Amino acid sequence: KAGVTQTPRYLIKTRGQQVTLSCSPISGHRSVSWYQQTPGQGLQFLFEYFSETQRNKGNFPGRFSGRQFSNSRSEMNVSTLELGDSALYLCASSFSPDQRNTIYFGEGSWLTVV
Amino acid sequence: AQSVTQLDSQVPVFEEAPVELRCNYSSSVSVYLFWYVQYPNQGLQLLLKYLSGSTLVKGINGFEAEFNKSQTSFHLRKPSVHISDTAEYFCAVSNYGGSQGNLIFGKGTKLSVKP
């Protein structure tokens, strides 16, 4: 079956713009989480959604937001982009938020802010 | 709060040699433990996980890890590495039985296998 699909894979934005990234989880998975990966800070948790509800949020400013739709697809949005937002954004899905379930990651969306 | 420390940022090793990637964690509660691998320009792939039971966990690609509660460690080992094992490896923890499903990752260890 298809894995976690993230679009777009690569994008370049200018400071001050906003960006929306999309994630389609594995079929049947209802839990989606987002992570930011940078060389300096490593992998950091952004948010977690389950059944269209945000269950958990990492320590990021309010410029970072997300949502989940009824079909479990998720989007994250970053407004007023800063150079430091340049990163690989990874989406992950699992059957439910139970940590015993295997979490599957997508290939990520590479965001460059210039 | 939980944290994960991967003691080596880079590990060079020759092909067919054994390797150990070290991981220590800190937590005031019980945790689940994971090792993920990331190949260049790809996402993360689960190698293995410790949930409970036997402290020696076997994963994919010939990797195994041992959970040591007293030393709060979860080191990853492979008896004989291949060129194709060159990648970045991440150790992660999550709350045991908690309501939060997020993973807390270490900074990663880059394994470089030389011929």
Side-chain angles (χ1 to χ4, degrees):
Chain A
K1 58 184 176 183
V4 179
T5 304
Q6 292 188 244
T7 57
R9 287 294 319 277
Y10 304 92
L11 67 165
I12 300 174
K13 290 286 188 178
T14 304
R15 271 183 301 175
Q17 288 186 315
Q18 66 97 23
V19 66
T20 299
L21 308 177
S22 179
C23 172
S24 293
I26 291 172
S27 177
H29 285 191
R30 294 165 59 201
S31 180
V32 173
S33 51
W34 289 88
Y35 291 81
Q36 182 197 63
Q37 185 176 20
T38 60
Q41 298 299 317
L43 283 152
Q44 294 186 286
F45 169 73
L46 280 158
F47 355 81
E48 178 195 9
Y49 289 89
F50 178 66
S51 295
E52 302 178 68
T53 301
Q54 186 180 92
R55 289 172 41 87
N56 193 11
K57 188 177 192 303
N59 188 25
F60 278 82
R63 301 185 295 108
F64 291 80
S65 62
R67 57 179 175 169
Q68 186 181 34
F69 302 96
S70 58
N71 61 358
S72 296
R73 190 177 71 84
S74 177
E75 289 181 348
M76 67 163 283
N77 183 278
V78 187
S79 63
T80 319
L81 283 166
E82 301 176 359
L83 294 179
D85 297 333
S86 295
L88 175 65
Y89 289 88
L90 290 165
C91 172
S93 79
S94 63
F95 181 73
S96 75
D98 188 333
Q99 302 92 331
R100 291 168 293 183
N101 291 321
T102 296
I103 297 173
Y104 296 87
F105 283 81
E107 293 194 331
S109 292
W110 285 94
L111 170 65
T112 300
V113 182
V114 297
Chain B
Q2 299 158 330
S3 65
V4 178
T5 302
Q6 290 184 242
L7 296 157
D8 305 295
S9 59
Q10 297 188 54
V11 173
V13 64
F14 286 105
E15 195 174 17
E16 297 184 7
V19 71
E20 177 180 82
L21 305 183
R22 297 179 293 167
C23 171
N24 286 90
Y25 70 92
S26 172
S27 177
S28 57
V29 299
S30 296
V31 297
Y32 296 130
L33 294 153
F34 307 83
W35 275 99
Y36 282 85
V37 61
Q38 186 175 36
Y39 298 102
N41 297 320
Q42 294 190 23
L44 301 172
Q45 180 183 8
L46 180 68
L47 277 176
L48 47 81
K49 59 183 176 182
Y50 172 78
L51 302 180
S52 65
S54 172
T55 58
L56 183 62
V57 181
K58 293 189 183 299
I60 63 171
N61 301 341
F63 284 94
E64 64 180 33
E66 186 155 19
F67 170 55
N68 187 319
K69 188 174 182 180
S70 62
Q71 297 187 5
T72 60
S73 67
F74 191 55
H75 300 333
L76 181 71
R77 302 185 182 100
K78 187 170 182 177
S80 175
V81 295
H82 303 289
I83 298 286
S84 59
D85 292 324
T86 295
E88 191 160 19
Y89 293 78
F90 293 92
C91 181
V93 303
S94 70
N95 245 357
Y96 176 93
S99 62
Q100 299 174 344
N102 60 291
L103 295 167
I104 297 167
F105 287 92
K107 294 288 191 185
T109 297
K110 290 184 179 177
L111 176 64
S112 175
V113 181
K114 305 177 187 303

